[in-house]
Amino acid sequence: MMRALLHSVKVQMGLSIARPMFKFIIIVNPLFLSTLAFFIYGSSSPERIFHYVVLGSGFMALWSSIVYSSASDVQRERFYGTLELLFVAPVPFAAILIGKIIGNMVWGLISMVIAFLSLVLLFRIEVPAVQPLLFFGSFVFVLLAISVFSFFLSLAFTLSRQTNALMNFIEYPIYLICGFLFPIAILPDWVKPISYLLPPTWAIELLRKATDENATFSVVAMPLFALTALVLIYIAIGYVCYRAVENKARINGKLGVY
């Protein structure tokens, strides 16, 4: 299964970068987002600029690549006529789906690096000193959390023939309610509970806490524990969804376009 997973990663990366729209998302979109964020926060403190310009725009690029692309890949396989074949292949469908997510995550990291370099080189943004072990450990955990969320969304959209419309509908609201570019404290009170139930909210908060040069484990403890709890919850929901999707697909046979 590991060989199939790695092959799925390789194939996914090749198929993704072959699409002009995906090239735009990876290369052009992070430049646009980072520039827009800098114009919004250009006169703020260096710490605020790094939190909401560098991390915010970089995380938006990562979100678009991993979550949006991975979920829309299900719809793409449907129109290719290969979704049914992947679902009944000897390799578990979950392994193929995880391979797609990992492949898009690699491109998402590249997109994040492009946003970071454009801000540092073009706008001379100061990069704060960080605790390497704490920051990179937090970053790896964030990637895991977002991948779990992506897996959940991909499964949720497997049986829907309106995946593209649904993903386009939720992409930008996630930017807003998860606090990528501004604190969620300014959101209406009825929106905040929704924000706290979404992993990206705690993921970006964890990275912001971890970029403090004096950060300790106690500083990142709250977002880390909250994100861990949500990851476990979404893993459980994802497992239940996977079994439900598998049973319903095999019974109804409605994975194709028609």
Side-chain angles (χ1 to χ4, degrees), residues 202-214:
W202 297 105
I204 189 67
E205 181 65 18
L206 176 59
L207 289 182
R208 285 171 180 153
K209 296 288 187 182
T211 54
D212 187 346
E213 61 180 346
N214 298 317

Side-chain angles (χ1 to χ4, degrees), residues 186-208:
I186 68 175
L187 293 173
D189 290 338
W190 64 270
V191 177
K192 292 177 184 177
I194 302 175
S195 302
Y196 294 138
L197 292 175
L198 297 174
T201 300
W202 297 105
I204 189 67
E205 181 65 18
L206 176 59
L207 289 182
R208 285 171 180 153

Side-chain angles (χ1 to χ4, degrees), residues 26-39:
I26 295 299
I27 300 173
V28 180
N29 198 47
L31 298 176
F32 172 77
L33 294 176
S34 59
T35 302
L36 179 63
F38 181 78
F39 286 157

Side-chain angles (χ1 to χ4, degrees), residues 91-224:
V91 178
F93 180 68
I96 298 174
L97 199 56
I98 292 172
K100 289 178 174 294
I101 293 171
I102 294 175
N104 287 331
M105 180 175 66
V106 174
W107 287 122
L109 291 174
I110 294 174
S111 182
M112 200 172 189
V113 170
I114 291 174
F116 174 78
L117 292 178
S118 67
L119 290 168
V120 172
L121 298 178
L122 297 178
F123 299 106
R124 306 296 181 183
I125 289 181
E126 298 179 18
V127 179
V130 298
Q131 301 289 339
L133 184 60
L134 185 63
F135 177 77
F136 288 106
S138 300
F139 188 72
V140 170
F141 188 72
V142 163
L143 292 179
L144 173 63
I146 298 301
S147 298
V148 169
F149 191 45
S150 178
F151 183 78
F152 164 75
L153 287 180
S154 299
L155 284 176
F157 291 148
T158 296
L159 291 180
S160 173
R161 294 184 174 88
Q162 304 298 325
T163 300
N164 289 337
L166 292 172
M167 285 307 305
N168 286 326
F169 176 75
I170 71 171
E171 182 182 12
Y172 283 95
I174 290 293
Y175 292 165
L176 299 177
I177 66 177
C178 290
F180 288 179
L181 291 181
F182 49 79
I184 62 174
I186 68 175
L187 293 173
D189 290 338
W190 64 270
V191 177
K192 292 177 184 177
I194 302 175
S195 302
Y196 294 138
L197 292 175
L198 297 174
T201 300
W202 297 105
I204 189 67
E205 181 65 18
L206 176 59
L207 289 182
R208 285 171 180 153
K209 296 288 187 182
T211 54
D212 187 346
E213 61 180 346
N214 298 317
T216 60
F217 180 78
S218 60
V219 173
V220 302
M222 189 184 74
L224 178 61

